[in-house]
Amino acid sequence: MKVAVTGKGGVGKTTFSAILARLYAEEGKSVLAADVDPDANLGLALGFSEEELDAITPISKMADLAKERTGASGAGKFFKLNPKVDDIPEMFAKTRNGVKLLVMGTVDVAGGGCVCPEHVVLKRLISHLMLKSDDVVIMDMEAGLEHLGRGTAENMEQFVVVIEPGARSIQTYKNVKRLATDLGIKKVRVVANKVRDKEDEDFIKARIPADDLLGFIHYNTDVIDADRKGKSPYDFSETAIQEVRAIKERLEK
């Protein structure tokens, strides 16, 4: 299973990604959770401490590694576009609760793209994880659509767009599906989070095709408490676990 979790900021991408990763780990699968968000907090949701995460440098910020792997010269004009990356997960991933965390980060770019060594390494690494890794790979992507614009997501099997009951989330889903289709990604599925009642469920069902809708995660104060304490929601809410487990089963079908 290779899946990218995306959506606008604050909808619960990280909560869903973390619970899904831990469910696979509980099954004994080899799981790699990649944090591809500049505001990296997937580690907290997996059970890492703040001190442990503060000591981790995102791959995108490892300028020396990027120069080494791409052979970039001092002037930075010529470098490899297919650097070696297959050993990077083993070198830099940290494990907690059976899940390997790889903090990838993003490359700060302006305009239409970036041809810097750091971006080349990051894009190549994402492609490696999607195409050649034997792990279950779950990517917690940055909010919005910028990663799609850079083309770094073109090798992913499918996207899961986490939304909440609101017009802006629905619009994000439509935009992701349009851009993903342009990249040849046929599966763009939806998880509705922070759902309060049947009215919210009906709102979602009226706007998301039934084949795309994986399920609902309802508004849950236990998940909020876990976030407030900087802990994994997996350790706080059996209800959330069961809802994500049902979504996982449908995702696999």
Side-chain angles (χ1 to χ4, degrees):
M1 177 63 67
K2 319 284 186 182
V3 61
V5 181
T6 188
K8 76 180 188 70
V11 296
K13 301 186 307 295
T14 298
T15 295
F16 172 72
S17 298
I19 295 176
L20 184 64
R22 290 196 58 179
L23 282 172
Y24 275 112
E26 286 293 324
E27 293 179 354
K29 302 287 179 58
S30 180
V31 184
L32 188 144
D35 199 338
V36 197
D37 192 323
D39 183 23
N41 51 35
L42 178 59
L44 284 176
L46 288 171
F48 287 85
S49 70
E50 292 186 31
E51 292 75 19
E52 289 173 314
L53 296 174
D54 287 343
I56 296 175
T57 300
I59 303 300
S60 63
K61 302 301 181 184
M62 296 181 180
D64 290 342
L65 176 69
K67 290 179 180 178
E68 174 199 333
R69 294 304 173 92
T70 61
S73 65
K77 292 183 179 179
F78 302 101
F79 48 84
K80 299 176 184 176
L81 297 180
N82 59 342
K84 176 180 173 62
V85 297
D86 59 328
D87 59 341
I88 288 179
E90 183 177 350
M91 291 173 63
F92 297 107
K94 307 296 182 181
T95 303
R96 176 71 73 246
N97 294 316
V99 179
K100 292 176 287 187
L101 170 69
L102 188 63
V103 180
M104 299 176 68
T106 57
V107 177
D108 297 326
V109 298
C114 171
V115 290
C116 58
E118 292 86 351
H119 178 234
V120 169
V121 169
L122 196 64
K123 181 175 180 179
R124 183 73 172 174
L125 180 55
I126 290 176
S127 296
H128 167 74
L129 293 176
M130 291 298 104
L131 293 174
K132 298 182 180 179
S133 172
D134 294 329
D135 293 319
V136 171
V137 178
I138 298 167
M139 288 198 174
D140 184 11
M141 307 298 289
E142 61 190 296
L145 306 173
E146 202 272 335
H147 52 277
L148 285 178
R150 288 203 308 267
T152 53
E154 58 195 359
N155 293 312
M156 293 173 182
E157 291 179 1
Q158 60 181 309
F159 276 82
V160 172
V161 186
V162 179
I163 66 171
E164 57 190 4
R168 286 176 292 178
S169 269
I170 299 295
Q171 188 62 42
T172 297
Y173 151 73
K174 291 179 179 179
N175 289 338
V176 170
K177 187 165 186 175
R178 172 176 53 82
L179 293 174
T181 299
D182 290 343
L183 289 173
I185 300 167
K186 298 180 180 180
K187 293 182 180 180
V188 179
R189 319 291 286 282
V190 174
V191 169
N193 190 32
K194 302 181 183 178
V195 175
R196 298 166 299 181
D197 49 31
K198 187 177 184 301
E199 185 176 351
D200 280 351
E201 292 183 7
D202 291 342
F203 175 89
I204 297 296
K205 289 177 180 178
R207 290 160 176 80
I208 303 297
D211 288 344
D212 288 354
L213 184 59
L214 290 169
F216 301 108
I217 303 173
H218 291 82
Y219 183 84
N220 189 323
T221 56
D222 290 336
V223 172
I224 295 172
D225 289 341
D227 185 35
R228 185 181 297 122
K229 296 175 181 177
K231 303 296 184 181
S232 174
Y234 192 92
D235 298 322
F236 273 66
S237 176
E238 184 62 30
T239 297
I241 290 173
Q242 295 305 323
E243 289 178 333
V244 175
R245 180 175 282 115
I247 290 167
K248 170 180 171 292
E249 291 173 358
R250 189 167 185 195
L251 180 67
E252 293 169 342
K253 294 178 181 178

